[in-house]
Amino acid sequence: MKLFDGGKAPNPRRVRVFLAEKGLEVPMVRVDMAAFEHKQAGIATRNPLQRLPVLELDDGTILTESVAICRYFEELHPEPALFGRVALGKALVEMWQRRIELNLFLPVGFAFRHIHPAMKEWEVPQVPEWGEVNKPKVIDFLALLDQELAAREFAAGDQFSIADITGLIAIDFMKPARIAVPEEFSNVRRWHAALASRPSAAA
């Protein structure tokens, strides 16, 4: 198998961090997104959406979407469990993964893509007003998350999970999106610092 990777982009990084947590090494094909290589035939024929990451299995089967790729590796290598354990644990991870993706990860991305000058050729048309609308959405969700994290170490409970990976990458991506974590969100700051200190965060 081989993984077509997009470098610093958030979704490819999600898979790399997940694999690092699993202790797995997968052959990587580096794709230069800055040069729009993800829009060329090598990727476009594998993923018509022209997005990364793309996992190609040995039999030619193609998997796209970062969480789907992570779930595939979870099934192959159940330990450490990053999608939860038993029915309730798995449901809580799914719930918080979804909440963080929809209310933090995506709005941060919208703000970046619609406001940052470097994205002018990527997001056509750029709608700066939409980017600005998403900034307070990020802060509102972080306020909720800060309250939740007062009672537990990780996003979905006492164990590190895919929800934490999504949160780590979303908060890291707030800097280029020009959104700051408010100082008073001490639980979010503690949580993010702990996630950023894990060796996998460097993947």
Side-chain angles (χ1 to χ4, degrees):
M1 69 174 66
K2 54 187 173 182
L3 181 66
F4 294 84
D5 176 68
K8 294 181 180 180
N11 278 306
R13 187 181 171 211
R14 269 207 280 192
V15 174
R16 293 198 309 274
V17 172
F18 188 91
L19 292 173
E21 286 286 340
K22 289 283 187 183
L24 299 175
E25 293 187 7
V26 176
M28 299 272 184
V29 178
R30 305 295 180 187
V31 180
D32 187 350
M33 296 184 74
F36 292 94
E37 287 183 0
H38 58 294
K39 298 204 176 277
Q40 297 174 12
I43 298 302
T45 56
R46 291 176 168 88
N47 182 6
L49 293 175
Q50 301 176 8
R51 296 172 185 165
L52 295 168
V54 172
L55 179 66
E56 183 173 347
L57 305 184
D58 291 339
D59 67 358
T61 300
I62 298 295
L63 288 175
T64 66
E65 306 303 331
S66 56
V67 176
I69 292 170
C70 290
R71 193 176 289 278
Y72 173 76
F73 285 112
E74 178 88 350
E75 294 299 318
L76 291 179
H77 305 277
E79 296 296 332
L82 298 179
F83 278 86
R85 298 180 186 278
V86 304
L88 180 57
K90 291 179 179 181
L92 287 169
V93 169
E94 185 76 20
M95 179 177 80
W96 280 102
Q97 153 61 26
R98 191 71 170 155
R99 284 180 168 183
I100 291 171
E101 186 167 54
L102 291 177
N103 298 289
L104 181 62
F105 188 88
L106 287 178
V108 169
F110 291 149
F112 174 72
R113 294 180 71 94
H114 285 275
I115 295 172
H116 201 288
M119 296 302 293
K120 189 172 184 179
E121 295 182 14
W122 289 61
E123 197 64 47
V124 181
Q126 261 192 333
V127 183
E129 295 83 0
W130 175 236
E132 293 295 340
V133 160
N134 276 278
K135 288 184 175 182
K137 293 177 183 291
V138 169
I139 302 304
D140 287 346
F141 181 75
L142 287 178
L144 181 153
L145 186 59
D146 193 71
Q147 294 175 3
E148 293 282 339
L149 288 169
R152 58 182 182 270
E153 184 177 359
F154 297 108
D158 296 328
Q159 300 295 321
F160 181 88
S161 73
I162 181 72
D164 298 292
I165 294 174
T166 299
L168 165 70
I169 291 167
I171 292 180
D172 284 350
F173 208 58
M174 285 172 63
K175 184 175 181 180
R178 300 173 182 173
I179 310 171
V181 177
E183 292 289 339
E184 63 267 26
F185 293 171
S186 59
N187 296 314
V188 167
R189 289 180 169 274
R190 179 265 306 162
W191 171 65
H192 176 258
L195 301 182
S197 71
R198 297 173 75 92
S200 64

